[in-house]
Amino acid sequence: MSKCRHLLIVLGDQLNLDSALYDEQSPADDLVWMAELPHESIKVWSHKARIVTFLSGMRHFAETLRSASWRVDYLGLGQHPYEGFGEALNHAIKSHQPERVRVVEPGEWNVRQTIASACEARDTPLDIIEDRHFLTTTAMFDEYADGRKNWTMEHFYRLARQRSGYLMNDGKPTGGQWNYDKKNRITFGRQGPGMLVQPRAFPPDRITRSVIELVQQTFPSHPGSLDAFDWPVTREEALLALEDFEEHRLAAFGDYQDAMWTEEPWLYHSRLSAAMNLKLLDPREVIASAIDAYECGHAPLNAVEGFVRQILGWREYVRHLYFRTMPDLLEHNALEAHESLPEFFWNAQTDMHCLRQSLAQTLDCGYAHHIQRLMVIGLFAQLLGVRPKEIHEWFLAVYVDAVEWVEAPNTLGMSQYADGGILGTKPYVASGKYIERMSNYCEDCPYKPSQKTGANACPYTVLYWDFLIRHQARFRHHPRTALQWKNLDRLSEEEQNTISENAKRLRERFKGKTQAVTSNA
Ligand code: FAD
Ligand code: SF4
C-alpha cells in the first residue's frame, strides 16, 4: 500500500468515529491501520464469543470508515504472517513510511508499551491522544487521589457528579442523597422474578457469520459456544440495545441489581458493557438517556442513580486505578493465594449449583452479571485461595466485555483483594448464606448454606470460616472488618480445627480436576 502522512492505529476497542484520532486528519493524506492478530486471542484462552465480538465489531467498523472515505489497511486473521501486535505494526511502519503514528490511549498497558517500542524501533514519532470517550480525565483523578490516604469510589463518584452536573440540582444531589444503594438489594422472594422480557437479540449478519466460521476453524478448542451469538457489534445495534434496556429493564434495575435466579442470566441488567467497551456507545449518551427516563417518569431515581453510578462512578474509577497501579497491579498477591484454578471453571461441571449456573451461562454466552462475577465466581476463587494471576486471566478470557483496564482492577482489587486494599478497603467475603439470600440457587443444591461442618456443608461456608481463620492476624483489628472477624470467637478451638481440616480436604479435591464435587467435608 502507498505511503501516508500519518498512520492512524485503530485498536479493537476503539470503534468510535467521533474519536480524537481523526481530529485534523484527512482521508486523502492519512491512513487507518487495523489488525486482527492471533496473539490477542490466545494470550489468554479467549471465549469464542469474545473473539467474535471484537473481530466482527472491527470488520463492521472498517466498513464504516471506508464509507466515510477513509483508506484502511486491514490485516485479517489468517491473511497475514504476524502473530503479535509489535511485529505487525513494525511492518506497517516500514511499508507505509508515515511521518508520524497516531493512536488514542490504548486501554491495555502492555499495548501502549508495544506501540511505543515499534515506533521507536522504526524511528517514527508517536502521538498518544487522550481518549475522550471517558467522562473523567487523568488530571481529574490525580487531583482527587493525590494526598488522599484512601481512594474510595464513592468520593470519586461524588466529585464526578459535581463536575459533570449529572443528577445534580443547585449543587445538591437530585433527591437529596448521593446514593440509593440501600434500596437496591431486593430479592425476588419465593415466587421468583416472574415473566421477564428477554433482551433484544442481534442475529449474526453476513460479516458476523463469516467471523463465526473463521473463529470456529481457527480456535476450535477455545472455551464457549457460538450457537446463540447475538451481541450487538455495530453502533446501530448498540443504540437499539440501549433503547431496549431503557424500555424494558431500567425501571427495575436498581431494586434487583444484586439478585440472582436460576436460568435467568440477564434479569434487569443492561448488557451494554461490551458495546461501551468497544466504544460503539458513548457513556454520555447512555447516562443521558437513563436520566431522561427518570425525568419523564419512566424509571425511579434509585434505578437511574444506581445505573449512573456504575458508569460515571465504577467504570471511570477502575480505569484510573488501572493506569495508576500498572504494571505492578498484575503481580500483587496480598493474601498469598497459591491454589490453582479448578478445571470446572472451564466446563461448569460442578455440583455446586450457584457455580454451575454462573459458569454455564458464562460459557454459553460470555456473560454473567456483576454479583455472579463478584459474589459467586470471584468469591469462590478467593475463598479457595486461587493465585490472583490465574483467576485474572480467566476473567479476562471468558466475558465478551473483557478488556484489561476494567477487568483487572475488578478482579484483582474488588474481587480478590490481591492489591491489599487499594480498590476495596476490605475483602468482599461471605458464606453460602449470602448466595442463599440473594438467589434461589441453594434450593437445588446438595449442600446446605448454613452448614459449616458435616457431610452437607456448603463449600462456600466451610471456606468462608477457613478464610476468617487463615487471615485473622491481618483483619481482626482492621476497623472495617473487626466485627466480621469477631464472630470467630464464637467457635471453639475444636470447631475451628475441624473447619480447617475440611477446607484442606476441599482444596485437595478441587485441585485442577474436572469433577463433580462430592464433598463429605
Ligand atoms: P449493568 O449491571 O447493566 O451495569 C451497567 C454498566 O455499568 C455496565 O455495562 C458497565 O459498563 C458498568 N459497570 C457496572 N459495574 C462495573 C464495575 N464494577 N466496573 C466497571 N464498570 C462497571 N466489566 C467490564 O466491562 N469488563 C470486564 O472485563 C469486567 N470484569 C469484571 C470482573 C469481575 C471479577 C467483576 C466483579 C466485575 C467485572 N466487570 C467487568 C464489572 C461488571 O461486572 C460488568 O461491567 C457488568 O456485569 C456488565 O454487565 P451489564 O452491561 O449488564 O452491566
Ligand atoms: Fe452454592 Fe452453597 Fe448454595 Fe450450594 S448451598 S448453591 S454451593 S451457596
Side-chain angles (χ1 to χ4, degrees), residues 278-330:
L278 267 60
K279 313 213 172 96
L280 300 172
L281 287 177
D282 189 299
R284 291 163 196 82
E285 67 195 340
V286 177
I287 290 176
S289 62
I291 293 177
D292 267 2
Y294 165 63
E295 288 175 349
C296 60
H298 187 64
L301 186 55
N302 70 309
V304 171
E305 187 283 316
F307 184 68
V308 169
R309 178 152 28 92
Q310 306 312 315
I311 296 168
L312 177 63
W314 281 112
R315 187 168 184 267
E316 297 282 323
Y317 170 77
V318 297
R319 177 170 179 267
H320 292 303
L321 273 196
Y322 173 77
F323 285 113
R324 201 113 177 177
T325 55
M326 279 299 282
D328 297 348
L329 175 65
L330 303 188

Side-chain angles (χ1 to χ4, degrees), residues 253 269-273 276-277 307 310-311 314-315 318 367-370 373-374 395 401-403 406-407 410-411 414-415:
F253 173 85
H269 291 270
S270 70
R271 260 174 60 113
L272 294 174
S273 49
M276 269 192 283
N277 293 350
F307 184 68
Q310 306 312 315
I311 296 168
W314 281 112
R315 187 168 184 267
V318 297
Y367 179 88
H369 73 63
H370 186 66
R373 295 188 205 195
L374 183 67
F395 271 109
D401 58 25
V403 280
V406 52
E407 177 280 328
N410 270 296
T411 305
M414 189 187 307
S415 158

Side-chain angles (χ1 to χ4, degrees), residues 351-355 376 431-436 439-450 456-461:
D351 65 356
M352 289 178 276
H353 190 226
C354 54
L355 262 176
V376 178
S431 72
K433 286 203 266 186
Y434 172 85
I435 295 172
E436 182 187 34
S439 74
N440 67 339
Y441 293 148
C442 303
E443 287 170 19
D444 270 321
C445 185
Y447 305 107
K448 300 279 167 261
S450 54
N456 297 323
C458 162
Y460 280 85
T461 304

Side-chain angles (χ1 to χ4, degrees), residues 45 51 61 68 103 144 167 174 305 335 342 368 399 408 411 460 483:
W45 200 35
I51 308 175
F61 186 65
V103 68
Y144 155 80
L167 292 176
T174 304
E305 187 283 316
L335 298 182
Y399 292 105
T411 305
Y460 280 85
L483 210 63

Side-chain angles (χ1 to χ4, degrees), residues 135-145 156 159-160 163 320:
L135 295 147
T136 58
T137 60
T138 308
M140 180 190 145
F141 188 80
D142 291 346
E143 185 193 326
Y144 155 80
F156 169 77
L159 183 66
R163 294 279 166 93
H320 292 303

Side-chain angles (χ1 to χ4, degrees), residues 355-478:
L355 262 176
R356 191 168 73 242
Q357 282 283 321
S358 306
L359 294 171
Q361 76 171 64
T362 297
L363 296 170
D364 283 347
C365 44
Y367 179 88
H369 73 63
H370 186 66
I371 294 301
Q372 293 175 306
R373 295 188 205 195
L374 183 67
M375 298 306 289
V376 178
I377 302 172
L379 175 63
F380 188 79
Q382 185 182 34
L383 295 178
L384 193 67
V386 172
R387 276 190 293 276
K389 212 164 183 173
E390 217 172 314
I391 185 70
H392 149 67
E393 287 178 356
W394 184 87
F395 271 109
L396 190 56
V398 296
Y399 292 105
V400 289
D401 58 25
V403 280
E404 198 174 85
W405 64 263
V406 52
E407 177 280 328
N410 270 296
T411 305
L412 298 166
M414 189 187 307
S415 158
Q416 304 297 302
Y417 197 80
D419 64 354
I422 300 172
L423 187 143
T425 49
K426 60 174 190 153
Y428 280 91
V429 283
S431 72
K433 286 203 266 186
Y434 172 85
I435 295 172
E436 182 187 34
R437 192 165 66 249
M438 298 312 298
S439 74
N440 67 339
Y441 293 148
C442 303
E443 287 170 19
D444 270 321
C445 185
Y447 305 107
K448 300 279 167 261
S450 54
Q451 288 185 17
K452 47 183 161 316
T453 53
N456 297 323
C458 162
Y460 280 85
T461 304
V462 176
L463 293 169
Y464 166 75
W465 286 99
D466 173 69
F467 186 93
L468 297 189
I469 295 166
R470 288 190 293 125
H471 296 294
Q472 54 183 320
R474 185 177 190 123
F475 296 110
R476 186 178 272 284
H477 303 294
H478 185 299

Side-chain angles (χ1 to χ4, degrees), residues 51 56 88 132 161 219 243 251 322 345 402 433 455 482:
I51 308 175
S56 178
R132 66 179 175 218
R161 288 266 297 272
F219 307 108
E243 203 180 290
Y322 173 77
F345 270 66
K433 286 203 266 186

Side-chain angles (χ1 to χ4, degrees), residues 238-254:
L239 285 167
L240 290 172
L242 171 62
E243 203 180 290
D244 178 64
F245 166 64
E246 257 138 44
E247 199 172 325
H248 299 296
R249 304 192 296 286
L250 172 63
F253 173 85

